[in-house]
Amino acid sequence: MIEKDILTLGIESSCDETSAAVLRGGRQLLSNIISTQIPVHQKFGGVVPEIASRKHIVNVMPVIDEALSRANVGLGDINQIAVTYGPGLVGALLVGVSVAKSLSYALDIPLIGVNHLEGHIFANFLSYPDLEPPFVALVVSGGHTALVHVKGYGHFEMMGQTRDDAAGEAFDKVARVMGLPYPGGPQIDKLAKDGNPDAIDFPRALSKSRGNYEFSFSGLKSAVLNYLNSMEMKHQTIVKADVAASFQKAVTEVLVDKAIDALSETGLDKLVLAGGVAANSSLEGRLKHAATEHGVKFYFPGLALCTDNAAMIACRGYYQSLTGKYSALYLNAEPGLSLESRMD
Amino acid sequence: MLILAIDTATSVSSIAVADDSKIIAEITVDNRLTHSETLVPHIEAAMKISEKSKDALDGIAVSIGPGSFTGLRIGLGTAKGLSYALKCPIVGVPTLEALAYHFPVPGVYTAAFADAQKGNVYFGLYSFKEGNIIEVKPVQVLPFAEAVSYCGTLDAPVMMAGDIFRKKSAKKVSLPENCDKAPSNLLLPRAANVALLGMRMLSEGKKGNVMDMEPIYIRKSEAEVLWDRRHPETAAKSEPSSIMIDAISGERGVRND
Ligand SMILES: [Zn+2]
């Protein structure tokens, strides 16, 4: 089998999206099917883990079946299976892992357990066929914020990550307090478009210290909540659009500053944005602007590939297989898996 | 008919390989909850011990609930993958009925319990007649003490089994005179029973569909119960469902099941 013809079936079920994808080689995406549960969780104001698991077990086979049929391949043509084994909701992860393991056993093909966060970075390889390491990746997802020096396909160096709340969590909590429907991130993004980003001066935690790539958003989150409370106590009108715009500016400024710092320290000229929060248009816009100002090339996987999907898992799995990083059938879900430095 | 059976509804993880005439192999482990890790390796081992090729399987039987939500999904997810890849039928076997199959004794009842948390149980009542398990009372959720005292009112001896007897709280409930607890070798489910019942169901044409099969939960999730309590007016309304999207073309609602 020539490497570029290897067919990888990717499976993803870490949160509220059930997804399956077929990838030829490392870059040629044949299908990417996503079943989203957002409408199901909306009334609860967030993802309910038990409900998510219940939807995954129903959706998982139709999604796989559809991914194969859209790719125009049979299950017997698949050479290997890549599945997200963490981080995420344990019950949700277990659905994908159980199905992937039994498919791997039944078809006698290798299994590759993939770190979901590494998957987010690899989404960029699908959008940019010519993109190659090394580069700096800014990972901004619901539960994680991190700057990673990607030195090779299996060689990452963690530059810094969040100490407390991830950027995505801050977005969700602020949105909830402002009474915006779930999912909160896109709602704040939308609202912020009509607001004044300089209306309120929220704090930028840890932003001043050069060479420190840790993030902290819990202070900012508290500042927004305090602001909303105090305005309410004083019976003053809250201009939600201004709050959203100012909060969003505070978050994106920190992210942009640190990313630019990381680029100058590593001397690299490629910045890659990854993760669900990457869909935030203001963050994408500011990063792109800052990157261009600093003569840096900016990469962003596009909306469909920056939310949770199996294509990115298949892509990560493919490159993992090249260095022989397969998993045993004993693979278990690891809800607390983190993004770490590694050298395969 | 060569069949592979799976039961991960409780703390027991059990696999059986059976054909029409016998249980060929069974691997039953009750040693910490590691079903998600060991289930597929145990299936591999059971098939190897049986000296059967997986391509020769005529069906997959899976214990479908009620039981531990996560355990049921591990079993069903695994069974679905096998059924889909090996192109053989799948059948969901009611967990408590399979448990009652431990006691094929005419003239007595079997009360099968599965832990439903907070002192509650899933409770099913069965009898045995002419080689068949008969459901006397459909499975319901009750406080354990209430289910036990109901059994005390029955007109025949009652054999009781289920993981609820592993709970400390269950020891406080004293059993009525006509009731007795099963010994530890028959207290919890085993896949051999699932295999036999599954084979019968398949021969009766009772197949499941991997595309829409769900465990039998009986209970809604905690979040839904709370929601329904606070919003009685919307409780009966139909629920929104997931939307399938082709992320390459952007087409939404690509498949209607
Ligand atoms: Zn994600």
Side-chain angles (χ1 to χ4, degrees):
Chain A
M1 171 68 56
I2 308 165
E3 282 165 3
K4 69 176 177 42
D5 290 329
I6 287 179
L7 287 181
T8 306
L9 172 66
I11 300 174
E12 151 69 35
S13 69
S14 63
C15 188
D16 58 350
E17 252 106 35
T18 326
S19 178
V22 179
L23 183 70
R24 188 192 297 282
R27 308 278 177 132
Q28 192 189 351
L29 187 56
L30 301 186
S31 65
N32 188 20
I33 300 295
I34 303 170
S35 175
T36 173
Q37 307 174 6
I38 288 176
V40 179
H41 298 283
Q42 216 138 29
K43 71 176 184 187
F44 300 104
V47 179
V48 180
E50 173 59 21
I51 298 176
S53 304
R54 290 184 178 202
K55 294 292 172 188
H56 284 306
I57 192 71
V58 178
N59 294 335
V60 66
M61 298 316 297
V63 161
I64 291 172
D65 199 55
E66 191 64 26
L68 291 168
S69 104
R70 296 244 162 179
N72 226 340
V73 301
L75 189 58
D77 301 324
I78 298 295
N79 301 108
Q80 55 187 16
I81 297 184
V83 64
T84 305
Y85 74 104
L89 304 167
V90 64
L93 288 164
L94 280 171
V95 173
V97 168
S98 298
V99 172
K101 282 165 60 167
S102 71
L103 288 177
S104 158
Y105 162 69
L107 299 167
D108 284 313
I109 57 176
L111 176 73
I112 309 155
V114 170
N115 180 322
H116 178 85
L117 297 167
E118 293 178 6
H120 271 303
I121 296 173
F122 278 63
N124 282 280
F125 293 128
L126 297 170
S127 301
Y128 301 94
D130 301 326
L131 175 63
E132 304 254 10
F135 52 76
V136 169
L138 173 62
V139 182
V140 201
S141 79
H144 297 80
T145 307
L147 269 168
V148 189
H149 181 177
V150 178
K151 295 183 165 175
Y153 291 105
H155 189 178
F156 313 138
E157 199 176 286
M158 181 59 70
M159 300 187 73
Q161 51 190 317
T162 182
R163 279 189 187 173
D164 40 55
D165 286 7
E169 277 172 273
F171 267 97
D172 285 344
K173 281 179 196 162
V174 166
R176 198 171 307 165
V177 173
M178 295 208 313
L180 302 174
Y182 159 86
Q187 298 291 335
I188 289 192
D189 194 25
K190 214 164 105 189
L191 198 56
K193 289 195 169 74
D194 305 320
N196 173 9
D198 300 313
I200 310 144
D201 190 23
F202 290 128
R204 274 90 167 135
L206 300 175
S207 67
K208 295 288 173 270
S209 39
R210 271 194 169 264
N212 171 1
Y213 301 107
E214 283 189 312
F215 298 94
S216 165
F217 292 103
S218 79
L220 169 60
K221 180 196 68 192
S222 307
V224 177
L225 303 193
N226 288 341
Y227 171 83
L228 291 170
N229 276 337
S230 77
M231 291 296 278
E232 215 159 278
M233 301 265 280
K234 289 186 251 168
H235 299 290
Q236 284 178 335
T237 334
I238 298 167
V239 185
K240 281 189 179 176
D242 286 352
V243 178
S246 304
F247 162 72
Q248 181 156 298
K249 187 182 178 193
V251 174
T252 48
E253 254 186 32
V254 173
L255 294 173
V256 169
D257 285 357
K258 297 214 176 225
I260 296 299
D261 261 14
L263 283 161
S264 68
E265 188 190 306
T266 54
L268 293 171
D269 61 353
K270 284 184 266 185
L271 175 63
V272 162
L273 180 59
V277 184
N280 181 295
S281 65
S282 152
L283 177 58
E284 186 213 338
R286 276 167 196 269
L287 269 176
K288 195 177 193 166
H289 182 78
T292 318
E293 266 190 348
H294 290 80
V296 165
K297 267 187 106 173
F298 176 71
Y299 300 85
F300 164 72
L303 281 183
L305 286 168
C306 71
T307 51
D308 291 350
N309 69 85
M312 67 188 200
I313 302 304
C315 182
R316 176 65 191 116
Y318 168 81
Y319 283 102
Q320 228 168 291
S321 74
L322 294 185
T323 52
K325 295 288 168 194
Y326 296 109
S327 305
L329 289 175
Y330 283 96
L331 180 72
N332 202 356
E334 282 186 35
L337 190 67
S338 59
L339 190 55
E340 277 167 17
S341 299
R342 71 185 276 174
M343 201 169 119
D344 291 350
Chain B
M1 185 187 285
L2 184 70
I3 195 162
L4 173 77
I6 299 169
D7 195 325
T8 51
T10 66
S11 66
V12 169
S13 168
S14 184
I15 317 293
V17 181
D19 65 17
D20 301 306
S21 58
K22 63 182 178 188
I23 305 296
I24 304 169
E26 189 189 47
I27 296 178
T28 298
V29 179
D30 188 4
N31 181 27
R32 295 181 297 130
L33 278 167
T34 52
H35 302 355
S36 57
E37 271 174 55
T38 57
L39 182 59
V40 176
H42 286 175
I43 290 172
E44 194 176 29
M47 291 302 294
K48 209 169 272 175
I49 295 166
S50 305
E51 299 177 319
K52 297 286 183 192
S53 147
K54 55 193 174 230
D55 299 309
L57 284 169
D58 299 303
I60 311 290
V62 59
S63 180
I64 199 73
S68 145
F69 296 162
T70 300
L72 291 170
R73 283 188 290 261
I74 292 169
L76 181 57
T78 305
K80 281 186 175 186
L82 293 174
S83 162
Y84 184 72
L86 300 171
K87 299 184 172 60
C88 67
I90 184 171
V91 61
V93 175
T95 300
L96 296 179
E97 193 175 324
L99 178 58
Y101 210 24
H102 276 332
F103 313 101
V105 187
V108 306
Y109 293 106
T110 297
F113 302 104
D115 185 14
Q117 311 293 332
K118 297 180 187 164
N120 296 308
V121 283
Y122 302 103
F123 164 53
L125 191 67
Y126 303 89
S127 63
F128 187 81
K129 211 175 168 186
E130 288 158 15
N132 276 315
I133 293 283
I134 315 283
E135 185 185 79
V136 178
K137 239 177 139 46
V139 178
Q140 55 183 313
V141 182
L142 281 178
F144 179 55
E146 203 175 298
V148 167
S149 70
Y150 168 81
C151 290
T153 67
L154 294 169
D155 54 2
V158 182
M159 186 50 83
M160 296 178 157
D163 61 353
I164 187 69
F165 289 106
R166 289 278 188 80
K167 287 245 161 166
K168 276 202 184 99
S169 58
K171 300 205 167 75
K172 290 182 201 138
V173 178
S174 56
L175 300 184
E177 220 160 84
N178 63 328
C179 301
D180 212 344
K181 186 185 91 170
S184 64
N185 62 321
L186 296 172
L187 196 61
L188 298 180
R190 286 172 67 162
N193 301 11
V194 176
L196 293 184
L197 287 174
M199 241 182 300
R200 175 175 296 164
M201 289 173 75
L202 280 176
S203 66
E204 288 165 357
K206 290 178 184 156
K207 271 195 305 182
N209 179 355
V210 292
M211 292 302 157
D212 62 9
M213 259 175 103
E214 284 186 84
I216 298 173
Y217 297 109
I218 309 272
R219 298 182 104 178
K220 288 184 174 189
S221 68
E222 203 76 13
E224 285 167 293
V225 172
L226 277 176
W227 175 273
D228 290 351
R229 205 175 293 154
R230 285 181 196 149
H231 307 83
E233 71 288 351
T234 61
K237 282 207 186 121
S238 75
E239 293 293 311
S241 52
S242 319
I243 302 166
M244 204 191 280
I245 299 163
D246 180 338
I248 296 178
S249 69
E251 186 187 346
R252 294 170 73 84
V254 296
R255 181 167 174 152
N256 297 310
D257 283 295

